[in-house]
Amino acid sequence: MNADQRVVVVGAGPYGLATAAHLKARHVPFRVFGQPMDGWRSHMPGRMYLKSSPFSSSISAVVPGRRLEDFRAEEGRAPGGERDPVPLEEFVRYGLWFQQRTVPELEQVTVRRIDARPGGGFRVLLDDGEEFAGTAVVLAVGVVRFAHVPPELAPLTRDGLVSHTADHVDFGRFAGQDVAVVGAGQSALESAALLYEEGARPTLLARAATLAFGSPPRTDSPADRPLRERVRAPSALLGNGWPLVACSRAPAAYRHLPDRVRDRLLHTVLGPYGAWWLRERVDGRFPVRCGVRVVAAEPDGRGGVRLLLDAADGQAAELRADHVIAGTGYRVDLGRLDLLSPELRRRVVTAGGAPRLSAGFESSVPGLYFTGLAAAPTFGPLLRFVSGTGFAARRVSAAATRQA
């Protein structure tokens, strides 16, 4: 077994690439594995846009010239402003450009298994059969593994009647079909809009009493906002307003809040709502039923699904659809990380399924780190967005450097 490598980074999305870039700047020996930007390329609709503005969509690197605006300049384009949403296709190109220039060491191989070694450290097995040891492992596995389908719908995924928004890169196959979309957040709203634009007949089902959308920015740059407005609702990485300033600038303090408070803030700060530019693609385009909850689902005997709905006013109703798409987000559950051996998973202390992390993103297992969405229950909403790569990569790389 090759024991020369020190830090192993698993994942090649924004958080994995940022971690590798910061380790490289610290001259820490590392290996990084994964398909670059795979979660974005293989599990998101090609015609979608990022919810984040261009100013909050850069992957963190220590060396200059690696921001989204630098990529745009290299392609001969303007940097863009707050009123210019970032197309997914462009963000993927940017991520590949970032990887090629910043982390060319990326090995496009899948990590099959990670086990703890007696006496400390880890044994890593790759899909190509290579096996080696590392003193630290950083898991930057993205969001797809944590796609959440409500228990009322989950049994029908086996029959292909229910899927998650993360299962689709193209909604064209649903043209001419009745599709129920469950959820009220960005992924549900944008999926319903894309379905409609591809010729499907979507119906949006939301537990919320009304749909919520962000407000259009008044200027292209946060610095150009009127002074009174900037005082009342300051700008931050996650948007405008004091709660977003707190979550953007104090994720380290967020970690010290009680579990119930952290969980509530994680689901209410930047909770389910659509980007401002999405409203015109939703309002009046297709049926929207708010204040309803799916309580049961079953095959209808005609190749589709019959949904039993419970309305806020106590009225029960049914809805038939050819297919149901769950836009119900992601929930961190360590039990779904099957690349970790069962013994290793049992050693990780969790809260609500998510690993409890130190200030340096280290779990209860020495040398095992989690970043990205898996760290959001500890550090807050910032870790759900690309803008959190800087905070996370600085912390993880510093902690791993001390351990290497």
Side-chain angles (χ1 to χ4, degrees):
M1 182 186 299
N2 179 1
D4 292 336
Q5 306 302 329
R6 295 285 186 172
V7 180
V8 181
V9 181
V10 182
Y15 278 86
L17 295 176
T19 300
H22 282 250
L23 288 169
K24 185 176 182 178
R26 290 175 174 272
H27 306 289
V28 177
F30 70 91
R31 292 180 74 177
V32 54
F33 300 94
Q35 299 298 320
M37 302 296 288
D38 183 58
W40 299 80
R41 290 191 290 171
S42 304
H43 296 277
M44 296 187 185
R47 293 178 51 231
M48 71 166 273
Y49 287 80
L50 270 64
K51 191 175 182 179
S52 305
S53 73
F55 298 111
S56 301
S57 301
S58 292
I59 304 170
S60 178
V62 179
V63 297
R66 297 293 188 266
R67 297 169 300 178
L68 176 61
E69 63 188 77
D70 300 312
F71 167 70
R72 287 177 164 178
E74 186 166 307
E75 287 195 338
R77 297 182 293 119
E82 288 281 294
R83 291 176 287 193
D84 301 308
V86 181
L88 173 67
E89 176 271 333
E90 179 190 17
F91 185 68
V92 168
R93 290 201 330 271
Y94 162 61
L96 297 176
W97 173 88
F98 181 97
Q99 180 266 312
Q100 291 161 5
R101 283 158 178 74
T102 315
V103 193
E105 300 89 347
L106 175 67
E107 299 176 56
Q108 297 188 35
V109 182
T110 300
V111 174
R112 183 190 303 173
R113 192 78 159 185
I114 301 172
D115 293 288
R117 298 182 68 209
F122 303 91
R123 180 175 66 90
V124 181
L125 177 64
L126 305 181
D127 253 359
D128 63 8
E130 182 187 356
E131 187 176 320
F132 64 92
T135 58
V137 169
V138 181
L139 293 176
V141 295
V143 304
V144 175
R145 295 170 186 265
F146 304 125
H148 173 67
V149 177
E152 297 80 14
L153 298 174
L156 296 188
T157 58
R158 294 188 295 267
D159 302 320
L161 296 173
V162 171
S163 59
H164 191 273
T165 52
D167 297 325
H168 302 285
V169 296
D170 182 4
F171 289 114
R173 74 180 184 89
F174 294 109
Q177 297 187 32
D178 295 306
V179 182
V181 181
V182 180
Q186 177 75 5
S187 62
L189 294 170
E190 191 166 15
S191 294
L194 289 170
L195 283 162
Y196 174 80
E197 292 160 5
E198 291 285 0
R201 296 184 295 271
T203 297
L204 187 74
L205 305 175
R207 287 186 298 177
T210 59
L211 297 183
F213 294 88
S215 300
R218 293 175 55 185
T219 64
D220 265 334
S221 171
D224 294 335
R225 297 171 61 217
L227 177 60
R228 179 178 298 180
E229 187 176 306
R230 280 183 282 149
V231 172
R232 186 176 66 252
S235 297
L237 287 172
L238 295 178
N240 301 327
W242 286 106
L244 300 185
V245 170
C247 290
S248 297
R249 299 182 183 176
Y254 187 100
R255 171 176 163 267
H256 296 288
L257 295 172
D259 288 354
R260 285 188 301 174
V261 175
R262 288 203 318 272
D263 185 65
R264 185 174 71 250
L265 291 175
L266 185 64
H267 292 93
T268 56
V269 175
L270 289 175
Y273 78 99
W276 63 269
W277 45 264
L278 193 53
R279 181 189 288 274
E280 66 180 9
R281 295 169 57 192
V282 172
D283 284 352
R285 303 286 177 154
F286 45 81
V288 174
R289 300 178 67 171
C290 291
V292 298
R293 182 172 60 91
V294 176
V295 295
E298 61 183 11
D300 68 355
R302 294 182 291 159
V305 184
R306 183 169 65 247
L307 299 174
L308 177 62
L309 309 177
D310 183 16
D313 59 7
Q315 297 291 320
E318 288 189 357
L319 175 71
R320 185 210 170 266
D322 295 304
H323 191 82
V324 179
I325 296 178
T328 44
Y330 303 85
R331 292 187 182 179
V332 179
D333 179 3
L334 196 67
R336 300 176 71 174
L337 285 183
D338 53 6
L339 63 85
L340 294 179
S341 69
E343 295 79 9
L344 188 52
R345 268 180 282 163
R346 282 194 291 268
R347 290 176 54 195
V348 179
V349 176
T350 62
R356 286 190 179 275
L357 304 177
S358 71
F361 286 68
E362 189 175 24
S363 71
S364 57
V365 177
L368 182 61
Y369 299 83
F370 293 83
T371 187
L373 182 67
T378 297
F379 294 100
L382 180 65
L383 275 295
R384 289 165 39 200
F385 297 88
V386 179
S387 52
T389 56
F391 170 76
R394 288 190 295 271
R395 290 272 177 139
V396 172
S397 62
T401 298
R402 291 191 293 269
Q403 198 154 30

